[in-house]
Amino acid sequence: ELKVEQNPLFLSMQEGKNYTIYCNYSTTSDRLYWYRQDPGKSLESLFVLLSNGAVKQEGRLMASLDTKARLSTLHITAAVHDLSATYFCAVDTSGGSQGNLIFGKGTKLSVKP
Amino acid sequence: DTAVSQTPKYLVTQMGNDKSIKCEQNLGHDTMYWYKQDSKKFLKIMFSYNNKELIINETVPNRFSPKSPDKAHLNLHINSLELGDSAVYFCASSQAQRRGPFMNTEAFFGQGTRLTVV
């Protein structure tokens, strides 16, 4: 059974600081996605990582994928309050024609002034 | 235009009732999903469905059944509702078939349905 593990699950950080969220998964996959969820809202797609070594950046967030290590990271640079949300990684485990996205438990990020 | 829409947004019902949640996507995707998000915010896949194959998470009770009248719709029927069914249910869709290297199978989510069973 596929396991997708994120850590930390809770992260409280000060504005201006840097931090990294980790996403490990237990089976071969070359498709990994990061989502953001604000309280009471739906999931918003942040990054799509489709190959080993993929790196994507958007504003203060940067995501990378190492398929050999089965690891993705979401790096936060100079955090601001607006980044407070829950961040999920999701791994596509399907080898055939059927999609199957399995999510990590999420990292609840709180950025304090 | 909303890409993935689900109704209702809120649903409060009594134990033992049968209810349905509707989902429609206008993205032309071939695969649709239902996820359950519990009070701890954990997201669990319930069903993955395209016009050829239904994949059911084995932990989902058979009181839950997906119904797809066409490729753009995947409704969720729940029979004999229980207190533990209270959660937020998300519908999603993605393009999963005709996959090849570097093909994006990113899922797009509806706004969620908050189900409360009393």
Side-chain angles (χ1 to χ4, degrees):
Chain A
E1 181 188 339
L2 169 70
K3 290 184 181 177
V4 181
E5 295 183 348
Q6 284 182 238
N7 71 83
L9 296 183
F10 298 94
L11 176 56
S12 180
M13 54 190 298
Q14 283 189 315
E15 281 191 328
K17 298 293 187 183
N18 305 332
Y19 208 83
T20 300
I21 300 170
Y22 296 90
C23 175
N24 290 91
Y25 53 97
S26 62
T27 193
T28 302
S29 175
D30 55 4
R31 291 171 172 78
L32 190 137
Y33 307 90
W34 284 95
Y35 288 85
R36 168 179 171 148
Q37 186 180 34
D38 291 297
K41 302 292 185 183
S42 186
L43 284 88
E44 172 192 354
S45 178
L46 288 176
F47 296 109
V48 176
L49 303 169
L50 299 179
S51 61
N52 185 38
V55 178
K56 296 278 183 75
Q57 182 161 6
E58 181 72 34
R60 301 173 187 273
L61 300 177
M62 183 172 71
S64 65
L65 177 61
D66 180 343
T67 57
K68 294 179 181 176
R70 299 180 183 174
L71 170 68
S72 179
T73 61
L74 180 66
H75 186 72
I76 304 155
T77 301
V80 292
H81 179 70
D82 284 352
L83 290 179
S84 297
T86 299
Y87 294 85
F88 292 92
C89 65
V91 176
D92 184 344
T93 67
S94 61
S97 63
Q98 184 78 336
N100 191 24
L101 274 185
I102 303 299
F103 281 77
K105 290 185 176 178
T107 297
K108 186 172 182 179
L109 171 65
S110 176
V111 181
K112 301 183 187 302
Chain B
D1 279 346
T2 304
V4 181
S5 60
Q6 50 184 113
T7 56
K9 190 172 180 181
Y10 300 96
L11 181 56
V12 181
T13 188
Q14 289 187 323
M15 282 176 56
N17 284 350
D18 303 337
K19 289 294 178 186
S20 295
I21 306 171
K22 294 185 177 181
C23 179
E24 176 182 3
Q25 55 98 3
N26 63 7
L27 296 167
H29 286 164
D30 58 22
T31 303
M32 297 183 72
Y33 311 82
W34 278 103
Y35 286 86
K36 177 180 180 180
Q37 187 172 44
D38 62 22
S39 57
K40 293 182 179 179
K41 306 303 180 189
F42 298 157
L43 270 164
K44 279 194 165 180
I45 189 166
M46 301 176 71
F47 304 101
S48 169
Y49 183 79
N50 65 24
N51 58 357
K52 293 182 181 177
E53 189 176 4
L54 171 66
I55 295 178
I56 302 172
N57 184 324
E58 60 187 18
T59 65
V60 175
N62 58 14
R63 298 181 294 104
F64 290 79
S65 58
K67 299 263 193 297
S68 180
D70 55 56
K71 283 179 64 172
H73 296 83
L74 184 67
N75 303 325
L76 181 65
H77 294 265
I78 316 169
N79 294 327
S80 302
L81 277 155
E82 299 178 358
L83 292 177
D85 297 333
S86 297
V88 181
Y89 292 84
F90 285 99
C91 175
S93 73
S94 72
Q95 183 63 30
Q97 287 188 319
R98 297 182 293 281
R99 295 172 79 248
F102 314 119
M103 182 162 178
N104 185 355
T105 57
E106 175 188 12
F108 292 82
F109 284 78
Q111 74 272 32
T113 296
R114 182 174 294 276
L115 171 65
T116 304
V117 182
V118 297

